[in-house]
Amino acid sequence: MDIKVFPEYQQMSEAIANVIADTVRKKPDAILCSAAGHTPVGTFRHMINMSQRGEVSFERCTFVSLDEWGGITKGVEGSCKDFMYKYLFDPLKIKEENCIFFNGCGILEKECKMMNTYLEQNGPIDFMLLGIGMNGHLGFNEPGTSFDTYAHVAPLDKITIKVGKKYFLEEMQFSVGITLGMKHMKQANKLVLAANGTKKADIIKKLVESEPNDMLPATLAKTRENSFLYLDKEAASKI
Ligand code: PGA
């Protein structure tokens, strides 16, 4: 896991967007996957700017969803799908058929099967951008999730439920999510984990100092090649 530290969030975001753009220039029909969290929003902004300047086209890319809250889908502000449309797909004018998404209102096991089959037939993901949860989770792979999982229905950790409130205008009750599995993250051609801000400094210190173990899912990045940790100086302040 290569660690890259940038003075500001803006520079970190620009650097990640540049790597995504390079991936897409080399492979215009790349499969991309990003977390629907606040960490990648700056990266999305740069992707949109680059696309508007004609420096890269995401038209032929397929976007695969990372996760979704059980019981909600697009149309509910705060759903992962809604977040991705708002911050990336609508501004990039991505066609609906190029977005392979979990439906949090569907039969969740079926949704997982659909995603596993899609990736088995079309994968691996070419570029995966993940945030790191305050508890070290990746997607909804919470502490204790085996590194051998594919897409699955995941019981949500208390910290995830608490932190997740920031996405919603109203009080929501969640107990499960659906998520790509750790194996998808292991198999992606390139894996980038990113974190910014002092609130992430403790979990980043723990990640950097820990051996790979399933109680700290982000350590999966240490078990594979071509994996990177992008940080701003605040998130890196304790390492
Ligand atoms: P964040 O979420 O980017 O909003 O901090 C990270 C995560 O929970 O995976």
Side-chain angles (χ1 to χ4, degrees):
M1 182 179 75
D2 282 355
I3 303 176
K4 294 178 189 287
V5 181
F6 297 83
E8 302 292 339
Y9 173 69
Q10 155 96 358
Q11 285 143 318
M12 178 193 94
S13 302
E14 206 167 327
I16 298 170
N18 282 331
V19 182
I20 299 174
D22 280 348
T23 305
V24 172
R25 285 188 202 106
K26 282 189 200 122
K27 188 177 177 191
D29 60 350
I31 301 180
L32 308 177
C33 176
S34 171
H38 290 116
T39 309
V41 168
T43 300
F44 296 165
R45 223 174 289 133
H46 287 290
M47 290 168 72
I48 295 160
N49 290 343
M50 277 192 280
S51 162
Q52 286 171 347
R53 290 197 298 258
E55 293 166 14
V56 61
S57 168
F58 297 98
E59 207 181 328
R60 290 177 55 206
C61 294
T62 300
F63 292 82
V64 169
S65 89
L66 172 66
D67 52 13
E68 186 57 278
W69 305 92
I72 63 167
T73 187
K74 190 164 183 265
V76 178
E77 187 161 345
S79 71
C80 297
K81 191 168 179 182
D82 198 81
F83 192 96
M84 292 303 292
Y85 270 82
K86 182 170 165 187
Y87 289 104
L88 189 67
F89 301 158
D90 283 340
L92 280 182
K93 301 189 176 67
I94 301 296
K95 292 192 199 112
E96 190 89 31
E97 67 257 33
N98 291 350
C99 301
I100 311 295
F101 257 74
F102 286 124
N103 175 3
C105 289
I107 298 167
L108 302 186
E109 286 77 11
K110 262 197 182 166
E111 293 296 310
C112 295
K113 202 159 172 218
M114 172 281 290
M115 194 60 92
N116 285 333
T117 306
Y118 177 81
L119 286 172
E120 211 177 290
Q121 292 172 354
N122 302 280
I125 292 164
D126 291 290
F127 187 97
M128 202 164 191
L129 171 58
L130 303 178
I132 300 167
M134 297 297 286
N135 60 357
H137 77 187
L138 296 180
F140 285 142
N141 292 279
E142 304 287 23
T145 307
S146 155
F147 283 3
D148 281 331
T149 47
Y150 286 100
H152 61 281
V153 181
L156 297 175
D157 188 77
K158 272 201 221 95
I159 296 177
T160 302
I161 293 171
K162 191 167 160 225
V163 174
K165 290 186 195 304
K166 68 179 177 170
Y167 297 109
F168 299 97
L169 299 171
E170 293 163 26
E171 187 70 27
M172 306 291 278
Q173 301 293 335
F174 296 114
S175 54
V176 295
I178 24 179
T179 184
L180 293 187
M182 302 296 276
K183 277 251 172 169
H184 292 126
M185 295 163 189
K186 179 126 186 180
Q187 290 168 353
N189 288 333
K190 184 171 269 193
L191 179 67
V192 169
L193 308 190
N196 65 287
T198 41
K199 65 180 185 300
K200 294 284 172 74
D202 284 323
I203 194 70
I204 293 303
K205 175 176 160 64
K206 213 166 152 193
L207 166 60
V208 169
E209 291 175 358
S210 302
E211 291 298 315
N213 77 89
D214 62 19
M215 290 313 290
L216 183 43
T219 56
L220 172 102
K222 295 182 162 184
T223 67
R224 47 157 292 159
E225 298 292 306
N226 221 10
S227 93
F228 301 85
L229 176 62
Y230 279 62
L231 304 170
D232 73 351
K233 70 170 182 310
E234 291 178 342
S237 58
K238 294 193 176 169
I239 59 173

